[in-house]
Amino acid sequence: MPTVTTADGVEIFYKDWGSGRPIMFHHGWPLSSDDWDAQLMFFLQEGYRVVAHDRRGHGRSTQTSDGHDMDHYAADAAAVVEHLDLRDVIHVGHSTGGGEVARYVARHGGDRVAMAVLIGAVPPLMLKTDANPAGTPIEVFDGFRDGTANRRSPFFLDVASGPFYGYNRPGAEPSQGVILNWWRQGMMGGAAAHYDGIAAFSETDFTEDLRAITVPTLVMHGDDDQVVPIAASAEITITLLPHGTLKIYPGYPHGMATTHADVINADLLEFIRATG
């Protein structure tokens, strides 16, 4: 398997398909690069070089006990970029991966980055605090920790069959294939990495990262996102980005890149082509 070894000895698995301008995809918690299948195949067929990696502790990367925080996530992404010598890159991140993109672009990107896309992304801060009253209460994340530590397999099925894809909404038509694929990806990773990753995605403040991103950035968010509510994320993020564009999808869930891949892919392609 293709891997790159980080400075602290962690092997990061990556996919690198095709040629042309590179697009790098950053997955959400607790998934893997496989979550981007619909995007990887679409953009590969459009003539792009597509790259996606498994975050440390996730998928096929090393199940290390250390470094499950945004600083390490961003540094690991940088290791993949440097190993492949990617330039003029479009970085696309979903959920936790959106936080990873924000921190990577702000702290490591330099002149290698052309543009960024944040889909259902966690910035600027998920956790409810006095300064962030629209955030999600800590008790919700404590529930995620309990489920991950003590009943990970059924808990992951509950997340995938419920709020992640909006399958708990009236009239929804759940796809067992989509649910089981989410569960499969999650169970490939390490419970310790997933447990620590909850604090990473929920308690990291990306405010200054967003302010430091100077490249054109597309923010895509469903207004029925039950995992990363739009009022505490995209609607604030867009006010912090120097060159941001917000696109809201009425009724779309957190996992809209899977449930509505045709729409999301087309809009991504339009943004890339229009931005240059």
Side-chain angles (χ1 to χ4, degrees):
M1 296 192 301
T3 62
V4 58
T5 302
T6 66
D8 60 342
V10 175
E11 288 191 349
I12 301 296
F13 168 84
Y14 65 86
K15 302 175 184 180
D16 178 16
W17 302 344
S19 58
R21 190 177 194 182
I23 308 176
M24 185 167 175
F25 295 88
H26 305 246
H27 67 80
W29 180 95
L31 304 171
S32 74
S33 56
D34 293 355
D35 198 46
W36 291 111
D37 281 354
Q39 286 69 46
L40 297 178
M41 293 304 298
F42 175 84
F43 283 98
L44 181 66
Q45 292 165 1
E46 288 289 335
Y48 290 86
R49 179 182 181 182
V50 293
V51 176
H53 67 293
D54 292 355
R55 190 171 296 118
R56 63 170 56 208
H58 296 61
R60 288 140 293 207
S61 292
T62 301
Q63 289 195 17
T64 179
S65 62
D66 303 313
H68 305 297
D69 56 73
M70 279 295 165
D71 287 347
H72 280 88
Y73 294 168
D76 293 348
V80 175
V81 170
E82 291 164 11
H83 175 70
L84 297 176
D85 195 25
L86 302 178
R87 299 181 184 277
D88 194 34
V89 189
I90 301 134
H91 286 272
V92 181
H94 173 242
S95 194
T96 301
E100 180 177 291
V101 166
R103 182 137 299 180
Y104 165 78
V105 173
R107 300 193 180 183
H108 301 275
D111 59 4
R112 290 180 181 267
V113 180
M115 62 190 82
V117 180
L118 308 178
I119 304 176
V122 299
L125 174 63
M126 282 198 73
L127 183 66
K128 181 179 181 179
T129 65
D130 290 342
N132 187 42
T136 301
I138 189 68
E139 291 79 11
V140 173
F141 303 116
D142 287 342
F144 268 67
R145 277 182 271 266
D146 176 65
T148 299
N150 299 312
R151 50 187 183 88
R152 188 167 64 131
S153 180
F155 175 62
F156 280 5
L157 281 175
D158 289 345
V159 173
S161 61
F164 198 92
Y165 295 112
Y167 289 154
N168 56 342
R169 294 305 197 203
E173 299 181 1
S175 165
Q176 284 302 113
V178 168
I179 293 167
L180 292 177
N181 189 43
W182 198 99
W183 177 88
R184 174 191 68 83
Q185 291 178 70
M187 295 305 294
M188 285 172 65
H194 294 160
Y195 185 92
D196 290 348
I198 295 165
F201 73 66
S202 66
E203 298 178 28
T204 303
D205 189 336
F206 298 95
T207 300
E208 296 308 316
D209 298 301
L210 295 171
R211 288 175 172 154
I213 296 174
T214 59
V215 297
T217 303
L218 176 63
V219 180
M220 311 170 81
H221 217 104
D223 71 0
D224 194 33
D225 190 324
Q226 301 171 68
V227 179
V228 183
I230 190 171
S233 54
E235 291 180 356
I236 301 175
T237 289
I238 197 60
T239 69
L240 298 169
L241 288 165
H243 303 287
T245 301
L246 175 61
K247 190 168 182 63
I248 298 173
Y249 296 83
Y252 280 24
H254 187 59
M256 64 183 186
T258 296
T259 58
H260 298 80
D262 54 343
V263 175
I264 299 305
N265 291 348
D267 287 352
L268 276 172
L269 182 61
E270 180 181 5
F271 172 73
I272 291 167
R273 287 177 171 172
T275 305

